[in-house]
Amino acid sequence: MPPRLPGRLSGVRLRRVSSLRATFTLSFAAVAAVVTVLVGFLSYDAAARLVRVDQQTVFAGVVQDLRDEVRQRDLGPADFTASDPGHSGALDRIVRPSRTDVQVLGPGGAAVGPGHPPLPVVAADRQVADASAAGTFAEHKEVEVRDSRFRVATVALGGGRGAVQVAQEFSDTEDLLNELQQRTVLLVAAVVIASGLFGWWLARRLTRRLVRLAGAAEDVARTGRLGIQVPVAGYDEVARLGRSFDRMLGRLAQSEEDQRRLVQDAGHELRTPLTSLRTNISMLRRIDELPPAAREELVADLALESRELTDLVNELVALAAGRSDTEPVRRVDLGELAEEVAVVARRRSGRDIVVRLSGDTEIDGRPTALQRAVSNLVENAVKFDRGGAAAIEVAVTGAVPGGRPGSVRVEVLDRGPGIGAGDLERAFDRFYRAADARSLPGSGLGLSIVREVAVGHGGAPFARLRDGGGVVIGFTVGDAEGPADEGGR
């Protein structure tokens, strides 16, 4: 696998990628452009088609009316050369409703009543003018006259007397449609630009909090500081993301602080046994000069210090591993787990350990961590209850009173000397050891591990003095609030 690019190169590569704001703006403008172009094209096409069909229909109606009239009435060229004062002549009946141009042709196709402008006469028009049947016609779809385009039809008067040409100019209509097309294009361009600006404004408004959140993440990556304020506002998905990121930073900061404290505390605790070992090792150079009793005491002291150092390192490793939470979660019966711990403790210590079970003691948890917590409690009771007259009791109770369904409570009861009120509150502190317990073996991390396991399983540790002497110490799982009558640790 090739090595990852350094941060600087990664930053360059990331800057080449367009921002979310630009992507949103371009997408919004593209969608608006497609929709506007489609609507504009369809609207223009429909309007142009309607106008052209309407013009052609009007012209066809004029030609048909003229054919009907020349068939029904005996009209000659003179009837179309001048307008009637009462506007009821043949020429007026053609021109007024349709606003068409008229040109009258005599026999042979000669123009006797030129139009305005004069219309061209071709061979087909001259044949119509000489036609014997009234109403015979010839139509020209497009004729160009003086830079204008006309639709022309020639209708025979019959008997070879000539014909009447009617023309409809459609270049003006096409010019109007071209202007409409230009305005449509301008409107589309304006809408696209406006939609792009609106999309930019909307994208800026929508991505503003994402940009701030990205800035906070970049600050964390650049400076390594986890205490950066994360901007959180609203209740939508972006706000949820911001809150989750803020909580993640909080947990990372807490984890970093815990690691720092663990290193500091471990260094402090390791200093004493290491100093003692160094002193004793320096005495080994003069071991031949020491009396036999001093030699035995020195060797015993070395064995004790090495054993305590080993126990301390093991506790530190267990505490660090417990905080990593890498063990998979599965269904665990705390009652059976307590029985297994009791069997091992009986074999090691020879003490009478009684396990009492009540209710459903199955939970979802990490078996190794939970076994470590129960084992630490039992070993702690064996160590401090040195009398050994009474049995050590392990009580596992399902459904913690006042807790959530599925919560379990684990208690270890002994008849030892008990714990002072001041020490009771700090029993679960890391490396803390009461004054009367400092002469006993131990690292001060056993109950701290119990607290870490309990908190990691949604519970809490507790300790209190037992009626008649001794201590009740334990933890809950699956109950984030914990029992109300418990002392803090």
Side-chain angles (χ1 to χ4, degrees):
M1 179 180 294
R4 296 185 61 186
L5 291 175
R8 183 177 302 175
L9 294 181
S10 298
V12 172
R13 183 176 59 186
L14 290 175
R15 282 194 292 269
R16 293 178 182 175
V17 181
S18 59
S19 65
L20 180 62
R21 182 180 301 174
T23 302
F24 188 88
T25 302
L26 292 177
S27 300
F28 193 90
V31 171
V34 171
V35 173
T36 306
V37 169
L38 184 62
V39 172
F41 173 77
L42 294 177
S43 300
Y44 170 78
D45 183 70
R49 188 184 302 273
L50 183 63
V51 170
R52 292 189 179 107
V53 170
D54 181 69
Q55 291 290 326
Q56 189 171 3
T57 302
V58 170
F59 183 74
V62 170
V63 173
Q64 186 61 42
D65 291 341
L66 177 60
R67 294 179 64 192
D68 293 339
E69 187 170 9
V70 298
R71 286 171 180 170
Q72 296 172 3
R73 301 175 60 188
D74 187 15
L75 299 176
D79 295 318
F80 294 93
T81 56
S83 176
D84 184 68
H87 299 292
S88 59
L91 180 62
D92 293 308
R93 286 194 297 271
I94 298 174
V95 175
R96 291 187 61 196
S98 60
R99 301 176 62 183
T100 54
D101 293 326
V102 177
Q103 177 171 280
V104 182
L105 301 179
V112 296
H116 303 282
L119 301 176
V121 180
V122 297
D125 298 324
R126 287 190 286 271
Q127 291 178 1
V128 171
D130 293 334
S132 58
T136 303
F137 80 103
E139 183 174 359
H140 309 287
K141 298 295 183 181
E142 183 174 346
V143 176
E144 186 169 348
V145 180
R146 297 181 183 178
D147 298 330
S148 297
R149 289 174 295 169
F150 289 82
R151 184 182 292 111
V152 179
T154 304
V155 179
L157 296 177
R161 293 177 297 168
V164 177
Q165 285 184 309
V166 291
Q168 181 187 58
E169 185 179 3
F170 60 85
S171 58
D172 290 342
T173 301
E174 294 299 324
D175 292 341
L176 178 63
L177 292 178
N178 291 334
E179 184 178 358
L180 177 62
Q181 186 180 35
Q182 294 175 359
R183 292 188 178 184
T184 302
V185 171
L186 293 177
L187 178 62
V188 169
V191 170
V192 171
I193 294 174
S195 62
L197 294 176
F198 178 75
W200 176 83
W201 174 83
L202 185 62
R204 181 180 179 184
R205 186 176 181 86
L206 292 177
T207 61
R208 183 173 5 184
R209 289 176 294 166
L210 283 176
V211 171
R212 293 177 183 173
L213 186 59
E218 291 171 354
D219 290 341
V220 172
R222 184 178 65 256
T223 63
R225 294 186 294 108
L226 300 176
I228 292 178
Q229 184 67 29
V230 178
V232 178
Y235 300 94
D236 55 6
E237 289 78 2
V238 178
R240 289 170 53 193
L241 177 62
R243 292 188 183 92
S244 299
F245 185 70
D246 189 50
R247 287 194 295 268
M248 181 188 68
L249 288 182
R251 293 193 64 179
L252 288 175
Q254 183 63 42
S255 177
E256 186 179 52
E257 176 64 19
D258 291 343
Q259 289 179 357
R260 185 185 64 80
R261 287 179 53 200
L262 178 61
V263 171
Q264 290 178 348
D265 294 343
H268 179 270
E269 293 298 322
L270 286 170
R271 190 175 295 114
T272 299
L274 287 176
T275 302
S276 179
L277 279 173
R278 187 164 53 248
T279 302
N280 290 331
I281 290 173
S282 66
M283 292 293 295
L284 288 176
R285 298 176 181 176
R286 302 169 49 198
I287 193 170
D288 294 335
E289 303 174 7
L290 300 177
R295 294 178 186 178
E296 293 181 2
E297 183 180 356
L298 177 60
V299 173
D301 194 24
L302 282 171
L304 177 63
E305 292 292 346
S306 62
R307 184 168 56 252
E308 289 188 359
L309 182 60
T310 301
D311 292 341
L312 178 58
V313 172
N314 289 336
E315 295 286 0
L316 286 172
V317 172
L319 182 62
R323 292 191 61 82
S324 65
D325 293 340
T326 56
E327 184 183 6
V329 176
R330 63 183 179 86
R331 198 68 178 169
V332 181
D333 190 333
L334 274 179
E336 293 181 359
L337 189 145
E339 291 279 9
E340 295 173 0
V341 171
V343 170
V344 176
R346 291 190 196 103
R347 184 174 62 250
R348 289 179 177 176
S349 65
R351 295 292 301 275
D352 185 15
I353 300 175
V354 179
V355 178
R356 293 186 285 105
L357 307 179
S358 176
D360 183 9
T361 59
E362 287 191 355
I363 64 165
D364 292 327
R366 298 178 174 85
T368 304
L370 290 170
Q371 185 176 22
R372 180 73 175 176
V374 177
S375 178
N376 285 356
L377 291 177
V378 174
E379 291 175 1
N380 188 73
V382 170
K383 180 172 63 175
F384 286 98
D385 188 2
R386 294 185 292 272
I392 295 175
E393 301 179 22
V394 181
V396 183
T397 306
V400 174
R404 295 179 297 180
S407 55
V408 178
R409 178 188 183 108
V410 179
E411 295 179 330
V412 176
L413 303 88
D414 63 55
R415 288 297 183 183
I419 305 177
D423 295 326
L424 192 66
E425 296 180 356
R426 301 186 59 189
F428 292 95
D429 288 350
R430 189 182 299 159
F431 297 111
Y432 180 77
R433 303 182 71 188
D436 57 354
R438 290 171 186 168
S439 61
L440 298 175
S443 62
L445 287 175
L447 295 183
S448 177
I449 293 176
V450 173
R451 181 185 62 184
E452 298 290 343
V453 173
V455 173
H457 286 77
F462 61 88
R464 68 173 185 273
L465 297 177
R466 185 181 182 187
D467 296 338
V471 177
V472 178
I473 190 167
F475 63 93
T476 61
V477 293
D479 178 27
E481 297 297 330
D485 60 345
E486 296 160 5
R489 289 302 181 116

